[in-house]
Amino acid sequence: MTGTHSKLTLLLIAIVGFLTVCPVVMLVFGSLSEGLTATGTFTLAKYIDAYSDPELLQVIWNTVIFVVGSSLTATVLALFLAYLNIRTNIPCKFIFGIISIIPMMIPHILFSVSWALLLNPSNGILNLILKQVFFLDSSPFNIYSLPGMILVEGLLDLPIAYLIIAPAMAAFDASLEESSRVCGASTTKTIFRITLPVLRPAILAAFILCVIRGLASFAVPSVIGMPGRIYVLATHLYEMVSTGFAADYGKAAAVGMSVLVSSVILIYLYRHLTSAGEKYVTIAGRGYKPTIIQLQRSKIPLFIILGVLSFVLIVLPVIVLIYTSLVPYSMVPSARAFSMMSLKHWIDVINDPISILSLKNSLLLGVFGATIGVVLSIFVAYVIVKVRTRSAGILESLSFLSFSFPGIVIGVGFMWFFVRTPLYATIWALLIGYIATYLPYGIRPLSSAFVQIHNHLEESSLVAGASYLTTLRRIVIPLLVPGIVSGWVLMATMFVRELSLSVVLSRPGTEVLAVQILRFSEDGLWGRLSALGIMMIGISTLLVIAVNLIGNRFRPPES
Amino acid sequence: MKSARWLFVFCAALLLTVNTLGVERSAAAEDKVAFYANITAIEPIMEAFTAATGIKGEYTRISTAKFLSTVFTEFEAGKLMADVIQAPLPVLEMLKEKGVISDYVSPEAAVYPDWANKNGIQLFGIEYVGLIYNKELVKPEDVPKRYQDLADPKWKDRIVMANPASHATTICWLVGLKENVFASEAEWREFLAGVAANNPMFVASFGPTPAPIESGEKSIGISMPKYIVTKAPAPLDWARVEDQPLMGTPRAMGISTKAPHPEAAKKFMDYWLSKEAMSLLANKVGEYVLAPGVYPPIDGMDQAKVIPIRELSDQEIAQWGEEFKKIFAVQ
């Protein structure tokens, strides 16, 4: 490691460490102290209490099935979508690209409620249609089940997986596949022997990020799991902090430590599995061509499959939201419901000053926060992938620290920390908290993209006399554009709909969209909630389109 | 290290821009009042207060689960920003015990019942709970006339309620039934077993209870009658249980001992307890308030007997939560 690399790594450890360690340390204090705050007499009582709960085993088992199932669903779907969208000449690519990341823009609670309206066993819209079409006596689907939870969480995590796998897919050198075919291998064999192994770092990164997100997820376990009486870690923690009036977040933090430890193990496992980074390098300076595969007879069938999947899994819940925003209260579609439609909820939201302030604040946090987050992520991903020392490993673990805690707990950790600083109750606290917590969303796609860029390119530039910054700006960053776009989109859309931190850090004047949406949800105002949710989707979509268009201008040309 | 310097300069410039665009400067002392509350949909009162006094009312909504943790954390750090605090009575009592709540008694409280004043903690309403049903799905003859009717097998798979193992108010309400409605514990337990056998759908709190009823996913629920007002024109009505009371936890408020705007806080408390504000709370939000002669615009509510439930300690709530977990087979 050069001196410059060493200094850069230490500097980044200091920055990322400051951002992520402080709230986690406060949570450790909280879990070890008596009382309801992070200060108090030392005790292990909260750990003993939390881990001696006989129901914990069942909860852990449910959590494992839920998290692994939803992560597999998200990763497999993302691979399928990304392969067709990036590598083939399937029609309407741009639209499919946007559709794949729509679930990311929808508040999770709203997406879960949409699916409950579609597939609840009593009067779920899809169930009613299927019952009528196939003359069934009972509803064929019950969303309030573990498979239902896995489906909805899988769809919600799909954009994370897609935005990590897609850039790696875009940087894939098709000559490897062509060589395989020239040697006589079938398409299936080529996919399993060449394509998937080369994409392994991105696939593992996507899967592991989905696992960690699934562990922290609350909306799906609450809206879909609780009515089905299926409890996972997030709802177990919720029960822990909501039973009684003196909520003990220290005890919840004690359980959260297990999630943190699991996440750290997963990160090290991921690093071990991708340690032979050189194997995955596909952009080495010569012969790089991200070729598009021409689909022949399978073009139309695949287009139909992709269209139907996108419609049923993603577009339909959004249509339900639009419908809900237009009817006066939650109603099953009928002639009466359509006759009662109006724009009342939209007008209410537009005339609500707090909703408008929330839109403004969230937009600012999304745009500026994601920009800062991506700049930091470029440096961190560079050190993680290209330097690969023990310090780089520490940096990677640090970047995951606050991300690994369940959302219901980490917000309180930030509150315990920020209250000791002048930043408390300001928009700065939100900005810093967002970047600290969601840094992996920027780092992962950039790491996947960095993995595929050979050191020779950088070394050649340095040998030719260019500085690190020039090399980064002229050589590395243009090749990283797909990763930068993905990281920015992930962070911006996440910031626009962030709830866990906002709900404890937001104060009058710093209201954000998710907090306003939560208010509407607590008041049962689903119409306004849906109207604001659609505005949120609209803003996020505009951001995604804008950054994709900007990204396309700097992307290396396709052959 | 050039790149690191560049990174710092860039970040600082961006943060400065965000600050310029997004942060509203705080108003001068006594020009505003900060109100921490868990009660929902009170914007009409905040606006009316500002219009009446010229003092800006800033409403910070904090869920019950995060209430004590947030207030204690700010209080211990010397940064409690709240002037006036509203929450369920047990929360206010714990805050009072820690010295967070002052002894201020508003002159407006004189018309309230004696039991509503607790040495600086002022009760102003009851978070009343009842049986809410979809009047398009439930025939008038099927509407429960007593709480016991909810255990009838005809309600199987048609009930929604907040999780009885964790939702504090639901736990208190179920215990309240034992202490105020049922003749014996055996009869009460029979009722619980009957409701459990009807396989109710559980949701996290009262907020999500009306949606499945109005959409027809469920027919009836243990919920709050105030939704008949806030969710209008949804086809909701409440079961007028005969000779049985409606019950709920008292809603309480008090002024912070370290209120940053103490005079504005007193004016706010006085305004909140006035008949004008309480009428807004009843009419716009459907709340049951303790101001004499003020009722929510819900048919028959002025005739209902609404009583506060006995306060349960957190230990009792946890114990009953465990008990209900078994009875209702929550896990």
Side-chain angles (χ1 to χ4, degrees):
Chain A
M1 186 166 69
T2 66
T4 310
H5 277 147
S6 172
K7 283 178 190 166
L8 180 64
T9 309
L10 290 176
L11 177 69
L12 288 171
I13 286 177
I15 295 172
V16 177
F18 173 75
L19 288 174
T20 59
V21 170
C22 298
V24 174
V25 166
M26 296 313 292
L27 285 174
V28 173
F29 277 126
S31 70
L32 289 170
S33 71
E34 279 180 359
L36 301 178
T37 63
T39 52
T41 317
F42 174 81
T43 174
L44 283 174
K46 290 179 183 178
Y47 281 85
I48 294 165
D49 204 13
Y51 289 97
S52 59
D53 187 338
E55 276 149 21
L56 195 58
L57 265 181
Q58 179 63 45
V59 166
I60 289 170
W61 179 239
N62 287 345
T63 308
V64 168
I65 296 173
F66 167 63
V67 165
V68 172
S70 57
S71 303
L72 274 175
T73 307
T75 310
V76 170
L77 267 176
L79 253 176
F80 179 64
L81 284 165
Y83 187 80
L84 289 179
N85 233 9
I86 308 283
R87 300 295 317 285
T88 72
N89 64 335
I90 200 144
C92 305
K93 286 173 150 197
F94 188 73
I95 294 171
F96 284 130
I98 297 290
I99 285 174
S100 309
I101 51 175
I102 278 181
M104 173 139 243
M105 307 169 191
I106 309 174
H108 285 192
I109 195 159
L110 215 47
F111 194 73
S112 310
V113 168
S114 299
W115 273 101
L117 286 170
L118 283 168
L119 283 183
N120 79 68
S122 306
N123 65 352
I125 299 165
L126 277 181
N127 272 331
L128 289 179
I129 293 170
L130 291 170
K131 271 167 77 177
Q132 279 188 350
V133 171
F134 296 104
F135 305 105
L136 301 172
D137 292 332
S138 60
S139 297
F141 297 109
N142 177 9
I143 195 71
Y144 304 126
S145 60
L146 209 42
M149 291 170 72
I150 288 171
L151 171 76
V152 181
E153 184 65 37
L155 291 176
L156 282 170
D157 293 343
L158 164 66
I160 301 172
Y162 181 85
L163 288 170
I164 291 168
I165 292 170
M169 201 77 92
F172 192 98
D173 187 349
S175 61
L176 294 168
E177 288 177 329
E178 282 164 17
S179 310
S180 166
R181 287 203 195 90
V182 166
C183 293
S186 66
T187 306
T188 315
K189 196 168 183 182
T190 303
I191 287 176
F192 281 96
R193 297 292 293 274
I194 304 291
T195 315
L196 291 179
V198 170
L199 291 174
R200 194 167 76 168
I203 294 170
L204 280 171
F207 180 78
I208 285 172
L209 211 58
C210 288
V211 165
I212 296 170
R213 257 317 61 191
L215 282 169
S217 163
F218 178 67
V220 174
S222 156
V223 175
I224 295 174
M226 206 179 272
R229 305 189 187 190
I230 297 155
Y231 286 79
V232 295
L233 214 50
T235 30
H236 181 72
L237 288 174
Y238 174 80
E239 210 171 84
M240 199 177 273
V241 298
S242 64
T243 309
F245 295 106
D248 191 344
Y249 281 87
K251 192 172 152 191
V255 177
M257 293 300 162
S258 306
V259 183
L260 178 69
V261 171
S262 311
S263 301
V264 171
I265 292 169
L266 281 171
I267 295 157
Y268 274 93
L269 187 66
Y270 164 73
R271 280 183 69 80
H272 173 71
L273 289 171
T274 60
S275 55
E278 290 290 317
K279 277 201 302 193
Y280 309 110
V281 173
T282 59
I283 306 175
R286 284 185 299 167
Y288 162 59
K289 48 171 187 163
T291 320
I292 297 297
I293 295 165
Q294 300 297 318
L295 294 172
Q296 306 295 332
R297 276 177 302 176
S298 56
K299 187 173 178 179
I300 298 302
L302 280 171
F303 174 72
I304 292 170
I305 291 171
L306 200 56
V308 171
L309 259 180
S310 301
F311 180 78
V312 174
L313 297 181
I314 299 162
V315 179
L316 202 55
V318 176
I319 292 173
V320 170
L321 288 185
I322 295 171
Y323 165 79
T324 311
S325 77
L326 296 173
V327 288
Y329 56 90
S330 295
M331 311 166 83
V332 172
S334 63
R336 182 165 162 263
F338 284 104
S339 72
M340 293 173 83
M341 279 183 170
S342 75
L343 290 172
K344 183 183 178 298
H345 299 309
W346 287 80
I347 293 164
D348 286 346
V349 168
I350 290 165
N351 288 331
D352 175 15
I354 299 196
S355 295
I356 299 302
L357 180 65
S358 310
L359 278 167
K360 186 181 139 194
N361 283 339
S362 287
L363 187 60
L364 281 167
L365 285 165
V367 172
F368 288 103
T371 307
I372 298 167
V374 164
V375 171
L376 184 59
S377 299
I378 291 173
F379 286 97
V380 175
Y382 174 78
V383 168
I384 289 172
V385 176
K386 297 297 180 190
V387 181
R388 289 195 82 85
T389 57
R390 190 178 293 273
S391 307
I394 292 170
L395 180 62
E396 185 166 21
S397 302
L398 282 175
S399 71
F400 271 94
L401 257 190
S402 44
F403 181 79
S404 309
F405 262 95
I408 204 164
V409 176
I410 190 66
V412 174
F414 271 103
M415 179 182 74
W416 283 341
F417 166 61
F418 279 123
V419 80
R420 287 162 177 81
T421 72
L423 297 170
Y424 189 67
T426 67
I427 207 156
W428 301 102
L430 290 166
L431 188 82
I432 294 169
Y434 285 5
I435 294 171
T437 306
Y438 297 100
L439 203 52
Y441 282 126
I443 295 173
R444 282 302 103 203
L446 281 160
S447 300
S448 301
F450 262 122
V451 161
Q452 303 204 352
I453 300 173
H454 203 286
N455 288 345
H456 290 169
L457 292 169
E458 195 186 334
E459 285 157 12
S460 308
S461 169
L462 293 172
V463 167
S467 69
Y468 263 108
L469 199 60
T470 308
T471 306
L472 208 62
R473 188 166 55 82
R474 299 284 298 274
I475 309 289
V476 182
I477 288 182
L479 289 170
L480 284 179
V481 165
I484 291 173
V485 169
S486 285
W488 198 92
V489 166
L490 271 165
M491 287 187 125
T493 50
M494 192 56 68
F495 291 0
V496 168
R497 65 160 187 74
E498 206 291 329
L499 177 65
S500 309
L501 302 176
S502 316
V503 78
V504 285
L505 296 179
S506 175
R507 289 289 181 274
T510 63
E511 285 95 345
V512 292
L513 271 175
V515 173
Q516 186 65 358
I517 277 181
L518 182 72
R519 285 181 175 187
F520 287 151
S521 150
E522 285 175 350
D523 295 346
L525 301 170
W526 295 108
R528 285 192 214 179
L529 179 66
S530 301
L532 192 57
I534 294 162
M535 289 181 198
M536 187 190 269
I537 297 167
I539 288 175
S540 301
T541 308
L542 286 177
L543 290 179
V544 170
I545 292 172
V547 79
N548 268 303
L549 291 176
I550 295 167
N552 282 341
R553 289 192 59 190
F554 297 98
R555 216 180 286 260
E558 288 177 352
S559 60
Chain B
M1 292 305 283
K2 267 185 188 174
S3 53
R5 274 201 296 275
W6 179 82
L7 174 68
F8 273 130
V9 171
F10 184 70
C11 292
L14 277 173
L15 288 172
L16 200 65
T17 316
V18 172
N19 191 36
T20 311
L21 292 171
V23 180
E24 195 178 311
R25 301 287 170 208
S26 59
E30 304 298 345
D31 281 355
K32 70 171 186 177
V33 61
F35 183 48
Y36 280 17
N38 83 328
I39 193 169
T40 58
I42 56 164
E43 286 81 4
I45 301 183
M46 304 307 288
E47 286 164 18
F49 168 72
T50 303
T53 62
I55 299 169
K56 188 181 174 197
E58 282 189 348
Y59 164 39
T60 300
R61 187 155 145 183
I62 306 173
S63 66
T64 307
K66 290 194 170 86
F67 211 98
L68 277 177
S69 177
T70 303
V71 174
F72 279 159
T73 300
E74 288 189 1
F75 188 71
E76 280 182 7
K79 285 191 180 166
L80 182 58
M81 297 157 77
D83 295 298
V84 184
I85 298 173
Q86 179 278 317
L89 176 60
V91 173
L92 263 285
E93 287 188 328
M94 282 184 247
L95 291 175
K96 178 88 183 172
E97 200 179 306
K98 291 273 184 183
V100 182
I101 302 295
S102 75
D103 294 330
Y104 177 71
V105 177
S106 167
E108 295 285 341
V111 296
Y112 281 65
D114 287 343
W115 57 266
N117 190 311
K118 291 180 169 273
N119 191 27
I121 297 175
Q122 180 66 45
L123 309 186
F124 64 90
I126 292 176
E127 195 178 357
Y128 64 140
V129 180
L131 305 182
I132 309 298
Y133 65 92
N134 183 320
K135 57 188 179 188
E136 289 174 354
L137 294 178
V138 179
K139 293 179 206 153
E141 61 269 26
D142 286 339
V143 176
K145 293 178 178 55
R146 306 176 310 151
Y147 289 112
Q148 287 85 334
D149 294 343
L150 198 62
D152 190 307
K154 74 181 173 195
W155 299 114
K156 188 162 175 63
D157 294 327
R158 297 175 69 192
I159 303 170
V160 58
M161 66 188 288
N163 189 342
S166 61
H167 187 241
T169 314
T170 298
I171 293 171
C172 292
W173 185 79
L174 289 172
V175 175
L177 283 179
K178 178 169 81 89
E179 296 177 355
N180 298 290
V181 173
F182 285 85
S184 67
E185 179 151 347
E187 192 193 339
W188 175 67
R189 285 190 178 272
E190 192 185 335
F191 162 77
L192 293 179
V195 175
N198 281 336
N199 193 32
M201 177 170 110
F202 297 144
V203 289
S205 61
F206 284 137
T209 51
I213 304 172
E214 66 196 50
S215 72
E217 185 183 348
K218 300 292 167 190
S219 305
I220 195 165
I222 298 170
S223 181
M224 299 180 74
K226 73 171 189 176
Y227 293 125
I228 295 167
V229 175
T230 56
K231 306 279 283 178
L236 298 175
D237 204 349
W238 66 290
R240 290 147 180 83
V241 283
E242 292 165 2
D243 301 324
Q244 290 179 326
L246 290 181
M247 303 174 301
T249 46
R251 292 197 185 276
M253 68 191 304
I255 292 182
S256 159
T257 46
K258 293 184 179 170
H261 314 95
E263 291 310 311
K266 286 175 186 168
K267 283 182 186 165
F268 182 83
M269 181 103 158
D270 297 346
Y271 182 79
W272 183 276
L273 295 174
S274 70
K275 192 161 186 173
E276 183 187 341
M278 287 295 100
S279 298
L280 279 174
L281 199 59
N283 289 318
K284 300 264 185 191
V285 192
E287 286 285 334
Y288 193 89
V289 296
L290 298 177
V294 181
Y295 297 100
I298 299 171
D299 183 48
M301 200 51 77
D302 55 340
Q303 303 298 318
K305 186 183 175 193
V306 182
I307 60 167
I309 305 169
R310 176 178 70 84
E311 292 165 51
L312 267 62
S313 68
D314 268 14
Q315 197 185 357
E316 269 184 293
I317 289 174
Q319 279 169 356
W320 280 116
E322 285 299 314
E323 183 81 16
F324 295 148
K325 194 179 273 185
K326 289 176 200 149
I327 293 171
F328 286 90
V330 174
Q331 282 189 15

